[in-house]
Amino acid sequence: MSDLLPIPALPPAPPTPAGRRGWWWRLTHRRTARAARQALLLADHHIWTTERARAAQIDLVRAGFHLGPVPLGYRPRRITELGADGRVRQGIRLAIAPGPAHVIALIYRWRVEDELSPRAIATRLRFVHNDRLVPLVSPATKRPWQLTSTNVARVLANPVYTGATVWGRTHAGTPVPPDQWIICPYAHPPIIDGRTFFRAQLLTTPESAIISPYLPPWEFPADPPTDPGNDSGRHGAVT
């Protein structure tokens, strides 16, 4: 018969209120608790950095800088400037690329005056492109810009051509209400006037039209200058 005394069993964990983790759980799950705290801190830090980055983007847009891919008809100008608030900002401003801008103006003219569909416009562009138009290269991808109905439709739905920068129209692929868009009118030289853009929207479906009382591009003068614009930032319409 052994002289060793039996090892007493550990006392059961004291009961804790439902939904709470007491001292016994923390004592036996220190590593899990530490990982949970770290995950919470990381989540809070991610939220803070995301909000800070969004605030910086909104500040740039409101100052007239362009975010995202450069659209056909423009070329990027990277600048550093001192704002009226005394802050130094760096970013991209858009300058007109005369040859591609002429094509953009033709797209809107054929849409508004001839009421051609995006498919018909793309067909007409392909017909005249080889003889009369400059080669089209996407400033975003540096590849040839394809004369397709999809690309034409995107041009006709982009308010950037009125000289305004509009940011935040979608979030995670979901449309955002117009009163939540970030808009800076007169951010860069326009290729078309706002009324032309508005008339183009009236020819499309209500679901795809870019029409909003919060969007000011169609407040441009009735008779804008006909100079296609240059890097000096003059506002004009391409004819």
Side-chain angles (χ1 to χ4, degrees):
M1 186 172 182
S2 174
D3 294 334
L4 297 178
L5 296 176
I7 300 176
L10 293 175
T16 56
R20 294 182 55 188
R21 291 170 174 172
W23 66 267
W24 183 259
W25 185 93
R26 293 193 298 270
L27 179 65
T28 56
H29 298 79
R30 288 179 178 176
R31 184 172 299 176
T32 304
R34 188 180 302 112
R37 287 195 301 270
Q38 291 176 346
L40 182 61
L41 290 174
L42 287 175
D44 290 342
H45 179 71
H46 176 71
I47 293 173
W48 179 79
T49 54
T50 300
E51 293 178 347
R52 187 174 181 182
R54 175 176 172 81
Q57 290 175 317
I58 291 175
D59 178 70
L60 284 175
V61 172
R62 287 177 173 165
F65 289 92
H66 179 78
L67 301 182
V70 176
L72 184 74
Y74 288 100
R75 58 173 176 265
R77 296 177 58 207
R78 181 171 296 277
I79 65 172
T80 301
E81 67 180 24
L82 180 65
D85 57 0
R87 296 178 58 186
V88 176
R89 295 179 176 84
Q90 294 181 327
I92 297 294
R93 288 197 184 276
L94 298 181
I96 285 182
H102 178 66
V103 176
I104 298 298
L106 284 178
I107 289 174
Y108 274 91
R109 181 184 303 168
W110 293 341
R111 179 60 165 164
V112 171
E113 297 180 3
D114 300 343
E115 297 190 5
L116 296 182
S117 67
R119 183 181 299 276
I121 292 173
T123 300
R124 182 181 287 188
L125 280 175
R126 286 193 294 268
F127 180 76
V128 302
H129 181 265
N130 293 335
D131 298 330
R132 298 171 53 188
L133 300 180
V134 297
L136 298 178
V137 177
S138 169
T141 64
K142 307 301 181 184
R143 296 178 179 178
W145 192 79
Q146 302 298 319
L147 297 174
T148 65
S149 59
T150 299
N151 282 341
V152 170
R154 288 172 178 169
V155 166
L156 293 170
N158 196 341
V160 71
Y161 296 115
T162 66
T165 294
V166 181
W167 183 79
R169 288 164 48 189
T170 61
H171 179 70
T174 302
V176 174
D179 59 342
Q180 298 179 23
W181 295 349
I182 308 301
I183 302 171
C184 179
Y186 313 105
H188 46 265
I191 295 176
I192 59 168
D193 61 83
R195 287 173 177 81
T196 298
F197 181 80
F198 180 72
R199 290 173 63 190
Q201 304 314 300
L202 297 179
L203 295 173
T204 188
T205 61
E207 294 78 13
S208 59
I210 308 299
I211 297 177
S212 167
Y214 302 97
L215 193 63
W218 31 88
E219 295 178 3
F220 283 94
D223 298 314
T226 57
D227 188 338
N230 51 45
D231 288 355
S232 64
R234 288 184 57 187
H235 290 177
V238 175
T239 60

